[in-house]
Amino acid sequence: MGYNNSVYKKIYEEYSQKYLIARQRADERASELRAAIPEIARLDRELSLVGIEILHASLSGGDTQSKIAQIRSKNEALQQRRAEILVANGYPADYSDVKYECSKCGDTGFIENTMCSCMREALVLAGIENSGFASLIREQSFENFSLDYYKKSPAHLDRMTWNKNFLVNYAECFDERKSPSILMMGGTGLGKTHLSSSVAKRVIEKGRDVFYTGAIDLFSQFETQRFKTYTNEPNELIERYFECDLLIIDDLGTEIINQFTVSTLYNLLNDRLSRKKPTIISTNLSKEDIQKKYTDRITSRMFGEYQVLFFMGTDVRAQKLMKK
Ligand SMILES: Nc1ncnc2c1ncn2[C@@H]1O[C@H](COP(=O)(O)OP(=O)(O)O)[C@@H](O)[C@H]1O
Ligand SMILES: [Mg+2]
Ligand SMILES: [Zn+2]
């Protein structure tokens, strides 16, 4: 699926504006110059006729080539004169040139038919904004995930080193039709959310649509939608849970569990699994808790088909506070 549609549309619109705005700004600066320097006003009038002169020359017959060459060199001389006047009046020579933010693509976002790197970057930033946890993604990355916090126990360190390496590799090789789903299990403050946002960041950078949600929000949105179904309006948010390339459900088990939430979760997980769309779930619950709360059906799908990562150690948030 790639870039989220609404993100793509938004950036595309921004770009068509950008290009126009750059031209409009240049026009405004040119008007300013004409008002300030009469000689520029005169020159600009003359320059504005060049196009028509060339047209006349090309239709007039005779030696059109040399006539056009003559007009061109006159044009260059006028431009040269204009630049000199600007500099003499304390303006930069290119003051009223169109100034694009990106000189490579002239703010169109494309070079021939390939997307310019500036547009790709804008899409990544917008993807992060649209991911549901932009502020976490900006703060938490593989780079500032330290394994030092797990050093007290070699077993914990081993396990967490393995988890981190697995996830770095997972993000690097992410494939929205092939990557497995992941279940992160373990106590509070062990880095589940931190590593989820690290993965999300890389995957968004690869141009994929990532959507993050806390379990509480997820179910409350499905609940809201449930009472709206009579309107038959497609709900974009609900659709995104099913359609995004990578769905991250954080803190499963913090929501109030009832028949509705259990069947909602089952449908969502099942649908994504059957279409091979990866999901990352994190939870503080043990396998027994999950079984008790969500039925065997869900448990067996999750433990049968998800890659399970066990997080171990002591609450990193608490360790950080102790150090302060
Ligand atoms: N290994 C780590 N290195 C650096 N910061 C970490 C690490 N693990 C967790 N943190 C930080 O500790 C806090 C709690 O981590 P978090 O990922 O929210 O834990 P969890 O989701 O497992 O409850 C966050 O601010 C997070 O950035
Ligand atoms: Mg968390
Ligand atoms: Zn560009």
Side-chain angles (χ1 to χ4, degrees), residues 2-4 120 123-124 127-128 131 133 137 142 167-177 179-180 182 195-211 244-248 272 278 280:
Y3 296 111
N4 174 273
R120 196 161 288 128
L123 279 165
V124 167
I128 289 176
S131 65
F133 67 154
I137 291 186
F142 288 125
L167 290 168
V168 168
N169 187 54
Y170 181 87
E172 225 52 79
C173 306
F174 183 81
D175 181 325
E176 67 275 22
R177 302 298 311 265
S179 293
I182 293 174
L195 284 178
S196 302
S197 36
S198 312
V199 169
K201 189 175 183 190
R202 289 277 168 91
V203 174
I204 293 170
E205 281 165 1
K206 291 166 80 93
R208 305 269 83 93
D209 183 27
V210 177
F211 193 36
C244 66
D245 297 319
L246 175 61
L247 176 66
I248 300 175
R272 291 188 63 91
I280 296 179

Side-chain angles (χ1 to χ4, degrees), residues 140 144-146 149-150 187-194 316-317 320:
Q140 306 181 333
N144 66 15
F145 183 85
S146 165
Y149 294 108
Y150 312 97
T188 307
L190 297 184
K192 299 184 297 299
T193 301
H194 191 122
V316 174
R317 192 177 281 119
K320 285 186 174 179

Side-chain angles (χ1 to χ4, degrees), residues 23-90:
R23 289 175 161 247
Q24 192 185 329
R25 295 257 157 79
D27 282 345
E28 284 163 11
R29 287 192 301 272
S31 308
E32 177 198 333
L33 291 177
R34 288 194 285 272
I37 313 167
E39 178 69 358
I40 293 288
R42 197 187 61 73
L43 279 170
D44 280 1
R45 260 196 308 280
E46 234 178 295
L47 281 163
S48 70
L49 297 174
V50 169
I52 296 172
E53 281 173 33
I54 290 181
L55 187 68
H56 275 282
S58 61
L59 296 173
S60 66
D63 186 1
T64 53
Q65 291 296 336
S66 76
K67 282 186 201 164
I68 290 173
Q70 230 177 344
I71 298 168
R72 288 240 155 85
S73 74
K74 187 184 89 180
N75 181 47
E76 266 165 42
L78 289 174
Q79 295 281 11
Q80 176 72 29
R81 173 99 188 97
R82 189 179 190 277
E84 283 162 13
I85 295 170
L86 287 186
V87 173
N89 281 274

Side-chain angles (χ1 to χ4, degrees), residues 15 102-111 116-119:
Y15 267 76
C102 177
S103 54
K104 284 190 288 182
C105 67
D107 290 356
T108 59
F110 289 89
I111 303 166
C116 183
S117 60
C118 74
M119 190 174 203

